[in-house]
Amino acid sequence: MPCERKPMRYGHSEGHTEVCFDDSGKFIVTCGNDGDVRIWEGLDDDDPKFITVGEKAYSLALKNGKLVTASSNNTVQIHTFPDGDPDGILTRFTTNATHVTFNSSGSRVAAGSSDFMVKVVEVSDSSQQKTLRGHEAPVLSVTFDPKDDFLASASCDGSVVVWNIEEQSQLISWPLLQKTNDVSNAKSLCRLAWQPATAKFLAVPVETKVHLYERGTWDHVSTLSDDLQTQLINVVAWSPCGRFLAAGSVGGSLTVWDVNSKLCVERQKHEKGFTVCGLAWNPSGSQVAYTDTEGCLGLLDGLSTSTSTKQAPTKKTAKEYDDLFDDDDDDRLMDEGLSDTNSPVKKPVAGGDDDDDDDDFLVPATGRVRNRGAILDDENSLDTGSLKVGWDKFRDDEDSSAAAPAAPPLVPLRPVYEGPRPSAPQKAFQPGSTPAHLTHRFMMWNSVGIVRGYNDEQDNAIDVEFHDTAVHHAMHLTNSLGHTVADLSQEAVLLACPSTDELASKLQCFHFSSWDTNKEWMVDLPPGEDVRALCLGQGWAAVATSALMLRLFSIGGVQKEIFSLPGNVVCMVGHGEQLLIVYHRAPGFDGEQALGVQLLQIGGRKKQLMNGEPLPLSHKSHLSWLGFTAEGTPCYVDSDGVVRMLNRGLGNTWTPVCNTRETCKSKSDHYWVVGIHENPQQLRCIPCKGSRYPPTLPRPAVAILPFKLPLCQTSTEKGLMEEQYWRSVLFHNHFSFLSSSGYEVDEDGRTQSQKEQQELLMKMFALSCKLEREFRCVELAELMTQNVVTLAIRYASRSRRMVLAQRLSEIALEKANQIQEEEPEEQEEEPEYAAVRRPSGYEVTGGRQGNRRQQEEEEERVQELGDEEEEDAPETEEEAETRKRVNPFVKEAASPVTPSLTPIGKVGRANPFKVLGSGKPSSSSAQPRVTNILDNMTSSRKSSQLSGSAGKPNKGPVLKPLAPRAKAKTQSTLLQMTKKKTQEITQPAAEQQKPAEAPPPASPADNTENKRLLPKTGFQFWLEENRKSITADHPDLEETDVIKEAMGRFRTLSAEERLSWTERAKGQTGEADLKKRKRAGGGGGGGNEHGQAEADENSAKKKKCLDPSAKLSAFAFNKN
Amino acid sequence: MFGSSAGTSRVADVSSGKNKVLGKSNSLARQTAMDPSEVEFLAEKETVKIIPNFSLDKIYLIGGDLGPFNPGLPVDVPVWLALNFKQRQKCRIVPPAWMDVEKLEEIRELERKEDTFAPVPSPYYMELTKLLLNYASDNIPKADEIRTLVKDIWDTRIAKLRLSADSFISQLEAHAKLDNLTLMEINTIRAFLLDSLNCMYKLRSNLQPGSSKGQFTDY
């Protein structure tokens, strides 16, 4: 029975609606929540007549030119039809009537009401009333027996009752429905229908089936069902001939059965899957009109009843069998249970918030038919046909395949296609926004601020609020254009609205950081192109449109690059110069989404970093948030709550870093992510109790979740440390990215995390040693830096693992060689880098210096660790110092959450309470205790040259940093043999330094100037003595470079030596020298002036003493 | 100071105290009773969550480090600082969890039901309510209802306190134990109770024959 589904049209405002035809079948009459009855001359009637019957109209019935309506003033009233003049009130209830109906002749009206009563009234004389009492809950629906003897009614108390009208008594009552307390809560409206003409059957919609009861015997004779019908049936209606029964479900499906054969002859879907709440056959029998709870009217046309009548006799025989089977499986209880579990029951009135959110905003691939309908027939897809063609086609195929078997009628309708189903592609969204259909919603919540949209009766406005009021004051914008998407940055607010019939899609930008007076610009998109997603970066804006286009604008409104996207955009975000776009790569199947991701660099060096790689999502989930960390690493969250971050260190792979659902207490709780920070490691999100999205009021508070890599066995010590290590490595990646793209880097954070990593490695090493896993030890050692490997060697040799120690020393050698090889390269690269990042090169190089220092410090730390574990007590003096030194570290470790500065455009924070380091603007000043002013003075270029310069002339001081260390601890037996080598190697270095010790040459004039300005510092003394050697090494250096070079060298001296120089400057030279010699002798180095290892142990303490003088000297040179 | 831990207190020793207490009791009572503003001062040390709208590194204070302050990110600070920021419009205050109509209603019901003092949500509930509602009522949903509820709780408790003091005196008890009293509550009744007990002791000892009258006439 092929039929045509006409497109839906708007009829009434949202809410319950009903529909009927007039006697001639010429008019469709509807009523709805707006209190109007509309009279349509066919579906295309653009100007229907309307009669206002009250504030709300709950039900209507039409016969013999009388229109009976149940309205909100608790009356049942009559209007003339089609004129619409009021014709009196039929009856009143104490609350509103829920359903009215005429009998077959039109002489009586039956009305059921929420006050539990059913009244039967003579139309001609409203005083003749019969009241049927007995229901114990609001009456859902009523229907007359065509022969006028009986009346059937369904009620919220769960019963379907047949009444004898004359006797006003209950004839029979079936407990068929679920009990509810009100019509609005009833799962199904349960509109009964009595077969016209023959009056043989009473059709009762029960769950997903229709029960037929025989008049007279009141037996349940058969059940009409359809395997594809998974939702509750809301209304049923008989065809005028009484052969067919149409049913509309809460999920929007429309089914027509042939009652004789009990076969489904027609299946249709509501185009948006809304609940069908009104259903009427045209008296001619060829049309079915239906309305939904959203107030729309639809029509099925061309239902030809004739074709199937021919077939009817052939099927008659089968009927008995069918009856048999139907009786068998009519286990009502079981049905109830099934339908409860299988079909997500929807209320007829759209009320479920959470579910609705899902439906309308994102498309969860739950496989619910209603959702699929909702998405596939998204109204946007009509004007962007090109994008959705594939989908529509697929859908059409599905439909036609469903319809095709119906061509030879009475063959059961089954779709042919059995393979994996394509899942609905998720709609475009703005990360950090709540669904667009909410009247009060967040249009954007990001690290800059909050954009809220209000769209209710009183107001259509947008509120922009900044977390940091220093950025800009809050703004209130009237949303006259109907903006739906927004983004917010430190510079501007970007808004866009979809196109309407008259107006093109617009892009509006409030560029509040502009220094001229025009803070606003607007751009119209070409006709037929709609904004789907937009984002702001630093100095640019990007818009993805429905025409698969990506348009770039400057923040001031200049149109820039434009390019095509490979697929329908899902969302995009910008950060600094990076633009991240996620789009549909292909149709996904079985609930999966197939998304692709593009990462572009916009700005100075334009390039594509990721080119359409698939975006990994959890099983059957969709993308729910996309963004950058504050440090600029792309990350995203899927609907399963898994947060993934780009691992630039592993070829741009995605690593899951957190599962927010694991921390949820209840299944329905979610975390709504608003931002991610790498340093400190923070996942900022809003906990939503029992929903996916937060409400705008009360104002939600941000919570912080920790990250956790899903490594195995994190309950064990090993697993825990491994997780910490790899997390630290992952969250460390951004440093190298930032510095390579020329941003200022928080060096303290960097050194901190490096130190943490090496410490963890050492701990893991110790653990593996304890477990006798030497191979694993070697594997761990390969991850260590060279300095830490030497400690590992010592640890191994002390715990008498000679084989291990030997292998480790090989690794150490290898690493040292690597460093050696890298250094020249680095030098070559250096100038290039410097050219690229001139503005920030200073900080970066300063940081490298910091690294070096950090490594040394860390060595000490780990050394202590080893010492303590071994309980191999060195000199007591040293131990005491160790303890003293631990303290500052402990303090730092206790508060690892150092204030992080977001890398770009951050306003420097002035702390009025903080005294320490307040004078120094750079981020490296946060740890004034260890900051030596020399660090900032010497560039890494110098320092790398320095380490090279010590080596270069001597051809191979490979182990220079290693050697003195080995020497200091002579207990290490294994190293004896390497020691000899290193001694030999360092020998020349020592010799080279020796002439430096020679009496100073006449110092140049500017130095004498210094003398006059200030008393000499230790460094100046040293400089005087060594100037010659420096100038000899680098004859081409200018004066300032010489000083820098000298500083670099001075720094490489041991703290003790430096101290001695300082003391010499103070006139205590003799004493200091003595001390120095003693120490050097005790170390067993014998003439090696690098008593570094030992000195290092004391350095932390001594450095403090050194600091003031170093500062002074630095000051002196600044004056210079 | 009398109530370093405000949770429990004893009115006991006051009346059983011998002469030495009485000698100085008048002046002592006045000294030991804390001014409400002093109690409020102590209450200002309690921490409260704020959402700052500025960014600031950690601040290092004698009482401990505070911050760092990130715009939009909740952070715990003492009440005095929170109010200071609030007055300068530098933050929004997140009301403490107990400052919620439903929870306070529960507490009120419990307080009314029990004869003894029920545990209070915070040792400084009255002071905090007053401070926060006076300065940050726009950040607290249903501020008026909360004000009424807390006042109700306070009234109920003070009535109980008076009642117990009354029965304590009329039954000539030597000591009594009162749990869950807050500092503010103790201090509202302390001066009056001590003074009146002194007075009564004086009167009573004058009545009793053979008591050392002389001592007190001198006094």
Side-chain angles (χ1 to χ4, degrees), chain A residues 829-878:
Chain A
E829 277 171 34
E830 210 63 45
E832 212 176 310
Y833 268 127
V836 174
R837 48 172 191 222
R838 198 170 297 130
S840 61
Y842 182 82
E843 277 84 5
V844 173
T845 47
R848 220 167 269 186
Q849 183 67 20
N851 276 356
R852 196 168 290 273
R853 195 181 68 241
Q854 169 268 333
Q855 277 179 0
E856 282 167 23
E857 274 167 24
E858 174 196 314
E859 256 171 64
E860 287 164 31
R861 174 87 198 274
V862 182
Q863 213 168 334
E864 284 155 25
L865 223 148
D867 288 350
E868 279 158 30
E869 276 181 31
E870 286 283 276
E871 297 194 338
D872 185 0
E875 299 110 288
T876 47
E877 185 196 356
E878 233 182 62

Side-chain angles (χ1 to χ4, degrees), chain B:
Chain B
M1 230 183 277
F2 185 82
S4 57
S5 75
T8 62
S9 76
R10 286 163 192 244
V11 187
D13 298 341
V14 180
S15 69
S16 63
K18 301 295 179 211
N19 295 351
K20 58 170 179 171
V21 178
L22 290 176
K24 295 176 192 167
S25 63
N26 265 341
S27 58
L28 209 128
R30 261 179 225 122
Q31 270 173 18
T32 49
M34 291 168 74
D35 211 53
S37 61
E38 289 171 323
V39 184
E40 199 177 86
F41 179 78
L42 291 181
E44 285 181 351
K45 268 193 176 172
E46 293 286 290
T47 59
V48 67
K49 253 193 182 45
I50 61 162
I51 298 173
N53 59 17
F54 58 95
S55 90
L56 187 67
D57 274 343
K58 229 178 192 175
I59 53 179
Y60 306 94
L61 304 177
I62 299 172
D65 299 351
L66 297 176
F69 298 92
N70 289 314
L73 206 63
V75 60
D76 278 319
V77 295
V79 172
W80 59 266
L81 186 62
L83 294 179
N84 185 295
F85 281 150
K86 177 68 196 171
Q87 280 169 324
R88 292 192 284 148
Q89 297 185 327
K90 291 279 185 201
C91 75
R92 279 186 306 116
I93 293 181
V94 181
W98 54 266
M99 207 175 274
D100 172 72
V101 172
E102 277 173 31
K103 281 186 185 139
L104 287 173
E105 268 169 356
E106 264 172 46
I107 292 167
R108 186 183 61 177
E109 292 320 307
L110 188 71
E111 195 66 62
R112 285 179 176 170
K113 215 168 62 188
E114 299 270 331
D115 284 334
T116 54
F117 292 94
V120 282
S122 155
Y124 299 103
Y125 73 98
M126 191 62 193
E127 301 89 309
L128 289 181
T129 312
K130 190 164 167 292
L131 286 169
L132 295 185
L133 289 182
N134 278 358
Y135 296 108
S137 55
D138 52 331
N139 294 149
I140 300 167
K142 299 185 181 173
D144 291 336
E145 278 179 61
I146 288 171
R147 201 189 291 270
T148 321
L149 280 167
V150 172
K151 189 79 173 68
D152 280 356
I153 295 169
W154 171 263
D155 287 346
T156 318
R157 291 170 67 88
I158 290 298
K160 272 185 201 175
L161 193 58
R162 289 202 181 122
L163 206 68
S164 68
D166 182 49
S167 64
F168 176 73
I169 289 165
S170 59
Q171 291 171 22
L172 296 170
E173 292 288 345
H175 63 87
K177 182 182 171 185
L178 297 174
D179 284 344
N180 296 330
L181 269 183
T182 66
L183 190 57
M184 189 63 118
E185 286 157 354
I186 293 163
N187 280 302
T188 50
I189 202 155
R190 178 182 289 165
F192 173 73
L193 186 63
L194 293 186
D195 280 354
S196 49
L197 284 173
N198 280 335
C199 271
M200 281 169 54
Y201 181 76
K202 226 184 285 176
L203 294 171
R204 209 173 285 144
S205 53
N206 283 342
L207 275 179
Q208 279 169 6
S211 70
S212 51
K213 255 181 194 172
Q215 273 183 8
F216 290 99
T217 45
D218 287 342
Y219 179 77

Side-chain angles (χ1 to χ4, degrees), chain A residues 390-508:
Chain A
W391 289 99
D392 287 343
K393 208 180 264 172
F394 197 95
R395 205 190 126 72
D396 287 344
D397 286 352
E398 228 184 310
D399 282 355
S400 57
S401 68
L410 307 178
V411 175
L413 295 164
R414 301 250 181 260
V416 175
Y417 182 65
E418 295 280 345
R421 296 265 164 178
S423 46
Q426 78 174 100
K427 278 194 198 175
F429 69 98
Q430 286 293 105
S433 69
T434 52
H437 66 84
L438 301 173
T439 51
H440 291 196
R441 70 181 193 111
F442 291 113
M443 291 170 84
M444 176 57 62
W445 184 321
N446 61 18
S447 57
V448 178
I450 303 169
V451 183
R452 267 172 303 200
Y454 300 99
N455 186 12
D456 49 19
E457 293 87 25
Q458 303 146 9
D459 209 4
N460 190 355
I462 293 173
D463 266 348
V464 184
E465 198 187 306
F466 297 88
H467 294 316
D468 191 341
T469 43
V471 178
H472 196 260
H473 58 79
M475 288 190 272
H476 183 84
L477 315 166
T478 47
N479 189 8
S480 49
L481 290 168
H483 291 303
T484 52
V485 286
D487 197 7
L488 180 64
S489 78
Q490 305 265 9
E491 301 170 309
V493 185
L494 191 64
L495 299 162
C497 60
S499 63
T500 58
D501 290 343
E502 302 96 43
L503 295 168
S505 180
K506 279 187 171 59
L507 183 70
Q508 193 173 15

